[in-house]
Amino acid sequence: MKKRISIFGSTGSIGTSTLNVIRSHPELFEVSALIAGNNVKKLAEQILEFHPRHVYIKSEEHQNYLKEKFDSLDIHFGTQGMEDISNLTDYDIAVSALVGISGLKPTYNMIRHGKTVALANKEVLVAGGELIIHAAREHHATLLTVDSEHSAIMQCLNGERHNKIDKILLTASGGPFFDKEITDNITVEDALDHPTWNMGAKVTIDSSTMMNKGFEVIEAKWLFDVEPDQIQVVVHRKSFVHSMVQFEDGTIIANIGPKSMEIPIAYALNYPNRLQNQIEKLDLFQIHTLAFEKPDLEKFKCLKLAFDAIKKGHSYQVVLNAADEVLVNAFLESKIKYTDIPRIMEIMLQKHTGEKLDTIEKILELDQKTRELTLLEMEIH
Ligand code: MG
């Protein structure tokens, strides 16, 4: 029987890569639901090609447009529509790739139904943290990941579950400033010039500050149940080693391969089996060397703040995530300097006093409050 896939965020880069994998393997997969935000044209094309049973689009106007084109299709919209479509259960794997904190509640709903969810949305674990992990355990949901680093770690741990992890070696490209000085004069253009991966603006800025790696450290902590001092960020600028795990006997298992998001996506969709693809294989003789370097936590302050936030507890991670989104957007709009991102973020963490977050509503409330307070803090400075 074919696996039925639901894609939350079908028109984004993870969503379209997921559909590429599905297109290449029609004998294995079919689409159950497609969930999109504003790109109704692209969603309409995807509906024509993949024939989902359910779709979601954010606005009512777009829903009406789709209704005229596809009269027998189950179409949802708005806040209630997102609630409804994320509570359906007629699929085998959901890819959670909505952008931002809006992905948290729908993913939580799927987990509470005990489903298998492949995570691409960072906020699910960075903001959802403890609550998501507890819900997954309680409802026997399976959490997979399509993030290249976490997929690599998952693969390194295959068959190793009973062996004690000494360290997770999470690789990072280092971003555009690894060899350069970070100054007040860094422009949006400088920061958007990422050396190895092609991504959206927010995540590219997060890569340049290494905040993105900080979020991945938090995700690794929750996904693999390790302490922060068991996670070492390793800068590997060629991005061929996707991450490694070191065991107590000193053995390091590494995941090495081509740079393509379709590989971790295909691995999650067909877990635990691999899928053949047309992606060019690595030529180790051309790569020649694999160099590893240690990140400077004083220079990449955001990365240090992420480790601090893990030690302080879940609510600090929510603050870190919300403050970062506000600060990165402000930088992209040239409202603050590049160096204000870590500086104001540190202030936000210092001002936070810790909260117990035992419901999604409490997380969303703290997220919203932090966004408002970060804007206020920006005005003061
Ligand atoms: Mg990554």
Side-chain angles (χ1 to χ4, degrees), residues 83-351:
E83 240 345 77
D84 295 342
I85 202 162
S86 62
N87 278 301
L88 295 175
T89 55
D90 58 346
Y91 61 92
D92 299 298
I93 297 184
V95 175
S96 168
L98 292 172
V99 176
I101 194 81
S102 66
L104 180 58
K105 182 76 200 305
T107 309
Y108 182 64
N109 291 340
M110 299 187 273
I111 289 169
R112 292 215 303 173
H113 287 293
K115 304 302 287 186
T116 297
V117 183
L119 296 172
N121 172 297
K122 290 227 145 66
E123 281 75 3
V124 172
L125 285 173
V126 174
E130 211 165 7
L131 188 71
I132 288 290
I133 295 300
H134 285 165
R137 257 184 229 139
E138 190 184 339
H139 300 282
H140 307 289
T142 304
L143 294 181
L144 301 171
T145 163
V146 301
D147 200 341
S148 62
E149 292 82 355
H150 302 89
S151 173
I153 297 163
M154 202 166 79
Q155 295 176 53
C156 294
L157 289 173
N158 249 348
E160 301 279 359
R161 286 286 172 190
H162 299 289
N163 286 316
K164 198 166 156 268
I165 296 172
D166 184 35
K167 266 198 167 81
I168 281 178
L169 304 167
L170 189 75
T171 54
S173 70
F177 304 131
F178 194 72
D179 291 321
K180 291 180 190 147
E181 213 187 318
I182 292 180
T183 68
D184 289 349
N185 302 326
I186 287 174
T187 63
V188 171
E189 239 180 25
D190 297 333
L192 284 178
D193 187 20
H194 193 271
T196 49
W197 290 94
N198 236 328
M199 307 166 291
K202 160 75 166 57
V203 60
T204 305
I205 301 295
D206 280 340
S207 292
S208 78
T209 61
M210 293 192 80
M211 184 73 263
N212 185 56
K213 208 46 60 177
F215 290 148
E216 291 184 356
V217 170
I218 296 172
E219 290 181 283
K221 182 244 164 345
W222 292 119
L223 270 176
F224 306 112
D225 193 20
V226 289
E227 295 303 318
D229 57 7
Q230 285 179 288
I231 307 172
Q232 171 70 57
V233 173
V234 177
V235 175
H236 161 59
R237 287 190 272 178
K238 289 183 175 173
S239 299
F240 292 118
V241 178
H242 301 306
S243 277
M244 302 168 269
V245 178
Q246 179 174 306
F247 295 92
E248 58 181 342
D249 66 350
T251 297
I252 295 174
I253 297 187
N255 176 283
I256 304 176
K259 281 176 271 186
S260 167
M261 281 313 295
E262 287 185 26
I263 297 173
I265 290 170
Y267 186 73
L269 294 188
N270 205 38
Y271 181 82
N273 300 308
R274 298 183 188 282
L275 275 176
Q276 195 210 13
N277 60 44
Q278 303 302 316
I279 299 158
E280 196 185 336
K281 303 281 187 287
L282 279 192
D283 178 353
L284 290 178
F285 302 117
Q286 288 234 335
I287 294 170
H288 204 67
T289 55
L290 297 171
F292 303 108
E293 290 159 274
K294 196 172 181 175
D296 177 351
L297 294 190
E298 287 311 311
K299 179 177 171 183
F300 295 103
K301 197 66 179 279
C302 290
L303 184 53
K304 183 180 179 292
L305 293 175
F307 276 102
D308 293 347
I310 297 182
K311 286 175 191 150
K312 286 183 164 163
H314 181 189
S315 70
Y316 289 84
Q317 297 155 36
V318 176
V319 170
L320 186 81
N321 177 67
D324 179 66
E325 196 171 323
V326 172
L327 293 168
V328 169
N329 286 336
F331 171 67
L332 285 170
E333 291 166 11
S334 303
K335 286 180 183 157
I336 59 170
K337 293 191 297 258
Y338 186 75
T339 47
D340 286 332
I341 300 174
R343 201 173 55 78
I344 299 176
M345 191 182 298
E346 186 170 26
I347 295 169
M348 298 312 296
L349 286 168
Q350 277 165 355
K351 287 193 170 174

Side-chain angles (χ1 to χ4, degrees), residues 10-11 16 19 34 42-52:
S10 71
T11 57
T16 46
L19 289 169
L34 294 175
K42 196 161 174 182
L43 178 62
E45 287 168 21
Q46 294 178 342
I47 295 169
L48 272 177
E49 183 179 355
F50 293 98
H51 311 290

